[in-house]
Amino acid sequence: MDTDIVTDSSADGAGMGRYDFRPLRVHQHASQQMKTGRIQSAPSWFNIIENVPPAQILVRTQPVQHQEQVRHTKTKKPSRMFQPQRLAYQEDSLRKEFFKDHPWELARPRVILENDGKDGQRNDWSKLRQLGRRVDGESVIQRQLWLLQNIPDITTAKAYDQARQEFYALRHEEDVERRVAKEEALATGAYFGKSTLEFGMELEDKVFEEWKAAALKTIEEQQQARGAAYSGSGSDDSSVSLEGSGLDASVDELGGVPAQGQNAYGGAAIHP
């Protein structure tokens, strides 16, 4: 059993609102009592407290409070220093103007397969028709760009008109070639299916016939309702119905009269 250490509680006692320093002075009191002979042997914890003394910090540190940052609704506009620059080419405005005037050119099928991504740079845009390349809207844009870069004192509108006229002439030539080829094929016995125009007209006729049948049905229903309103056949059945008691009394009064002739169907049960 460890030897009790006598301390002076009157001097080191912790009063109300004071710190208690007695745990820090346990080793000091034990050493003094061993020197004065009040205890004969050192306690088992004497060397431990000497090597690992009690903590000197008397105030407990508060943990860091992580508070949620309140975001203000009005924030500073971020700087554009680290944003990439806007890439703009001269072809962009030309392409926007052409496809705005010719939106159906975007509906035509296009071949986007290229060998190395620079096929357009090897074309000679001094003329609109290119060998191995189909004439499309991009051809007009490249032709207009070539005119702006190689013809002095030419405006964008004039270059656009010249490239557009060349484009219309080539398209007209392609249409004539296509029409002649079809006529030659028909003359030699070829058979083509319905054209797009004929197919669209059939769909339009089908929808028109359905609408016509629905309109006739609606007109017939309106005429029947109008005729029923004038004849009164659409009146409420309660005007010709009789209560159960009145009908039984009428049948008792007519019970002795023999039935003659054919049975009557329809009409009012009893005339007033």
Side-chain angles (χ1 to χ4, degrees), residues 56-188:
Q56 300 294 330
I57 300 176
L58 303 178
V59 181
R60 180 181 297 175
T61 58
Q62 295 292 334
V64 179
Q65 301 294 331
H66 299 280
Q67 298 180 358
E68 184 179 0
Q69 297 182 358
V70 180
R71 298 183 177 180
H72 301 283
T73 55
K74 188 177 180 181
T75 58
K76 184 179 179 180
K77 188 176 181 180
S79 176
R80 301 178 62 88
M81 181 183 301
F82 302 102
Q83 292 185 359
Q85 297 182 358
R86 183 180 181 85
L87 300 179
Y89 299 93
Q90 187 178 3
E91 297 93 325
D92 296 340
S93 58
L94 305 179
R95 189 177 292 108
K96 182 178 180 181
E97 181 180 6
F98 176 80
F99 286 110
K100 181 180 179 181
D101 298 337
H102 308 81
W104 284 104
E105 286 297 323
L106 296 173
R108 292 179 178 269
R110 296 177 56 188
V111 178
I112 59 176
L113 183 62
E114 296 183 356
N115 294 327
D116 55 357
K118 300 180 180 179
D119 295 352
Q121 300 179 5
R122 289 189 288 269
N123 294 327
D124 183 14
W125 292 110
S126 59
K127 55 184 179 180
L128 188 60
R129 189 192 296 273
Q130 300 294 326
L131 182 62
R133 181 186 178 94
R134 188 175 182 180
V135 179
D136 54 3
E138 193 65 27
S139 301
V140 179
I141 296 167
Q142 296 298 328
R143 172 61 175 165
Q144 182 183 1
L145 184 63
W146 186 90
L147 293 174
L148 291 174
Q149 294 176 353
N150 293 274
I151 298 180
D153 299 336
I154 188 173
T155 61
T156 304
K158 290 183 179 179
Y160 177 65
D161 291 339
Q162 182 176 347
R164 186 165 48 87
Q165 290 176 4
E166 296 176 2
F167 174 70
Y168 293 161
L170 290 179
R171 278 292 169 84
H172 179 68
E173 184 179 344
E174 291 178 356
D175 292 340
V176 172
E177 292 178 356
R178 190 181 305 108
R179 190 180 306 112
V180 171
K182 182 177 180 180
E183 292 177 357
E184 291 177 353
L186 291 174
T188 56

